[in-house]
């Protein structure tokens, strides 16, 4: 069975500091991984996906198959980055599903 | 486009009752997925529908069912409600529901079971 683990429930950093949100996964196939974000009073929305290898709002995430990780990083955090972040894994085949982790609440202090 | 819409916004039911939640996808999107989000947890996948066919099912009891209509809107039904069914129910739409798709989420329906 597939699983997504986000070990930190809460993460607090100061503005301008680097930030890393951890995500580990368990999946027998080739993973398709995503980061979703929910800002205060807004809908859950896609931040980035590993298949497009893009950088959004300064965030990047690299898939490490050896460590089964997909950590989200940003070199200099901004106050507007404060939000709930969810890592998610997509599986297709005979049962399409998107499995989310429990989320990490990031707070960027001034 | 208003994005994905869900109705009702809030709902209060008592144990044993049945509930129907509704979702309208973004125009042009043919896939709808349903998620349950309990307070403090991430969204948990319930169903995915594409072109009116069920294409994915999560680990939920048979009390949960869904369907998709020809206009691609969808309903989630929950029978014999339990206190533990209290949660935010999210709907998401995408063009095809595949790995390359972005899922666009609605605002959710808050269900309280008393």
């Amino acid at each position: 069975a597939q699983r997504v683990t986000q070990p930190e429930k809460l993460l607090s950093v100061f503005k301008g500091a680097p930030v890393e949100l951890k995500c580990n996964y368990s999946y027998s196939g080739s993973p398709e991984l995503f980061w979703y974000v929910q800002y205060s009073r807004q809908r859950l929305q896609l931040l980035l996906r590993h298949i497009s290898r893009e950088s959004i709002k300064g965030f990047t995430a690299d898939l490490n198959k050896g460590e089964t990780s997909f950590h989200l990083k940003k070199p200099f955090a901004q106050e507007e980055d404060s939000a709930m972040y969810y890592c998610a894994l997509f599986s297709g085949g005979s049962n399409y599903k998107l499995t989310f982790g429990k989320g990490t609440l990031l707070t960027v202090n001034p | 486009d208003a994005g994905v819409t869900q109705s009702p916004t809030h709902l209060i039911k008592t144990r044993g009752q049945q509930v129907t939640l509704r979702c309208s996808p973004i125009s042009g999107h043919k896939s709808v997925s349903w998620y349950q989000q309990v307070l403090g947890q991430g969204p948990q996948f319930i169903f995915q529908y594409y072109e009116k066919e069920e294409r994915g099912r999560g680990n939920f009891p048979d009390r949960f069912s869904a369907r998709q209509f020809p206009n691609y809107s969808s309903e989630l039904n929950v029978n014999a409600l339990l206190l533990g069914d209290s949660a935010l129910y999210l709907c998401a739409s995408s063009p095809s529901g595949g790995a390359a798709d972005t899922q666009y989420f609605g605002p959710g329906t808050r269900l309280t079971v008393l």
Side-chain angles (χ1 to χ4, degrees):
Chain A
Q2 60 202 65
R3 184 176 299 160
V4 176
T5 303
Q6 294 179 250
E8 302 140 329
K9 201 161 189 161
L10 302 169
L11 185 62
S12 182
V13 301
F14 285 102
K15 178 181 171 182
V19 64
E20 180 178 74
L21 292 90
K22 291 183 168 53
C23 172
N24 290 90
Y25 67 90
S26 171
Y27 183 55
S28 57
S30 185
E32 303 287 353
L33 288 154
F34 304 82
W35 278 97
Y36 278 80
V37 61
Q38 188 165 27
Y39 301 101
S40 180
R41 296 189 186 87
Q42 293 188 27
R43 303 181 184 195
L44 193 59
Q45 59 185 285
L46 178 69
L47 179 63
L48 58 79
R49 69 188 85 197
H50 97 271
I51 49 177
S52 55
R53 300 189 63 80
E54 56 202 346
S55 172
I56 303 294
K57 299 184 178 183
F59 284 97
T60 59
D62 288 320
L63 176 61
N64 186 322
K65 291 187 178 181
E67 295 183 359
T68 60
S69 68
F70 188 57
H71 303 328
L72 184 68
K73 300 177 184 179
K74 185 170 183 177
F76 307 103
Q78 303 299 315
E79 289 180 67
E80 55 265 30
D81 296 329
S82 296
M84 193 73 178
Y85 290 81
Y86 296 98
C87 183
L89 184 153
F90 175 89
S91 62
S94 60
N95 190 18
Y96 278 49
K97 64 189 294 187
L98 189 61
T99 302
F100 283 84
K102 293 186 177 181
T104 297
L105 180 62
L106 173 66
T107 301
V108 181
N109 300 297
Chain B
D1 198 334
V4 177
T5 59
Q6 293 186 242
S7 63
T9 307
H10 297 89
L11 205 51
I12 299 175
K13 292 285 188 179
T14 56
R15 279 178 297 177
Q17 286 189 309
Q18 175 263 339
V19 69
T20 298
L21 311 181
R22 294 176 178 83
C23 172
S24 292
I26 290 171
S27 177
H29 286 189
K30 298 181 178 180
S31 178
V32 168
S33 297
W34 287 96
Y35 298 85
Q36 181 195 66
Q37 187 172 23
V38 174
L39 201 60
Q41 304 287 320
Q44 192 169 356
F45 175 79
I46 309 176
F47 290 110
Q48 187 193 91
Y49 275 77
Y50 174 67
E51 290 280 15
K52 303 181 289 294
E53 297 288 326
E54 181 186 300
R55 198 164 65 173
R57 174 183 281 259
N59 296 324
F60 280 80
D62 292 343
R63 299 185 295 108
F64 288 77
S65 63
R67 55 180 175 167
Q68 187 177 32
F69 299 99
N71 66 353
Y72 302 110
S73 67
S74 178
E75 286 182 351
L76 175 70
N77 294 285
V78 187
N79 293 322
L81 285 167
L82 304 174
L83 295 179
D85 295 330
S86 294
L88 181 69
Y89 288 84
L90 295 169
C91 171
S93 78
S94 67
S96 68
D101 278 8
T102 295
Q103 297 238 346
Y104 293 86
F105 283 83
T109 293
R110 173 74 60 188
L111 172 65
T112 301
V113 182
L114 302 176

